[in-house]
Amino acid sequence: MKILFTLACSLFICMHLSSQNGLEKIIVEKYYISDENDKTVDGDGGELPVNSVTYRVYVDMLPGYIFQAAFGTPEHEMKIASSTRFFNNEDRGAGHPTYTRAQAQKNTVMLDSWLSVGAAMKDYAGVLKHHDNSVNTIVNSDGVLQNEHPEAGIPIKAEDGAVLATVQPVTVVGFSDTDLTIFESSNDAPIPSVMSTRDGAWSSLAGSRGADTTENIVLIGQFTTDGIFEFELNLQIRNQQTLGVEKYVARNPVADEILFETLIHIDSLGLISSTDESINITDEITAFPNPTSGNLSFQIDQQIPLIGVQNQYMLKSVNGDAVMKGKITDHLTSIDISHLSPGVYVLLIDLDHIYKASKKIIVTP
């Protein structure tokens, strides 16, 4: 009887798991924020603007899944863009993280922009800094990458987000000769810098799992810029138990494709630098409904005072154009955005130049 009960439970668990989608979430980590000290090695690594943010993008999957590809099709654009340029280290930089741990100790190689299927460097997998095991943390030989900016969380001099592991190589297919030039070892790309494709992909032919297979979080890219960072991705993963393939798209799914709205991301930075006294209250702002095609409301936490006379909001397109603005007179504000074209926008909030916030807003057809 106990055996039958165990088998029944196992069957139920398998059926339950098979009914779930394997993609749990997309994680965007602020890995590092550069400072004046990092510019001391500009001659070796290429010019790195102060307050450049290094973002890491991770795919978080259920256990038992592998990451196969990020792709674009005629129906689904794949795009990675900056309103300025992406930083590419000119010493050991490349389109994929193939530099060694010894090379990563030099100048600003660890901040290079690249595409990945799990690796952070040769023989090391990329992991979230708070998942790092603190073993063999890289100590920069040039005395840079020491900034402890609070918005970047754990300093990389304490946890470098890399663990020894077997990593898969990146296979690139379908891109034209110019699609990936913004990630080459030079910093002369046009402004804004955009990688866009409707017939290309970067992939892991053998499939990639997370360094911790229980967490199963795979690093798929690192991008450093001092501008507005955005991406629109489509992903393919596979269930290793059923061999079922799942395709997730950012917009307009067809057939068995699965809509996953956080595959669209925009980060307007909103940095609080050492010379900026503004307080970032993004976590204290709730915008709803989002996505929306009609009215948009945003709620400011009641503990945030509205005593100033210059409390205002602004809605910007991804190109940086202001499309709406107005005054904030209450903790709850509602605006009609039904006239806006479908797409991604940024809601900026400024409360008397003391409190600031930014939120991604998606306008649907």
Side-chain angles (χ1 to χ4, degrees), residues 24 35 60 93 108 173 198 208 242 283 292 299 343 350 361-362:
E24 294 196 282
D35 61 9
D60 186 356
T108 51
V173 295
R198 290 185 180 270
S208 296
T242 66
D283 291 341
T292 182
Q299 175 82 52
D350 185 343
I361 305 298
I362 300 175

Side-chain angles (χ1 to χ4, degrees), residues 33-39 48-53 226 271 273:
I33 298 173
S34 69
D35 61 9
E36 289 284 356
N37 183 52
D38 299 319
K39 292 188 67 61
L48 178 68
V50 173
N51 275 342
S52 293
V53 182
D226 67 334
L271 290 177
S273 69

Side-chain angles (χ1 to χ4, degrees), residues 243-254:
L243 302 184
V245 171
E246 298 174 5
K247 292 184 179 181
Y248 296 84
V249 297
R251 306 173 191 264
N252 306 321
V254 297

Side-chain angles (χ1 to χ4, degrees), residues 19-32:
S19 67
Q20 289 182 284
N21 294 330
L23 180 59
E24 294 196 282
K25 58 181 176 287
I26 304 299
I27 301 173
V28 180
E29 177 187 48
K30 283 186 179 178
Y31 181 68
Y32 186 75

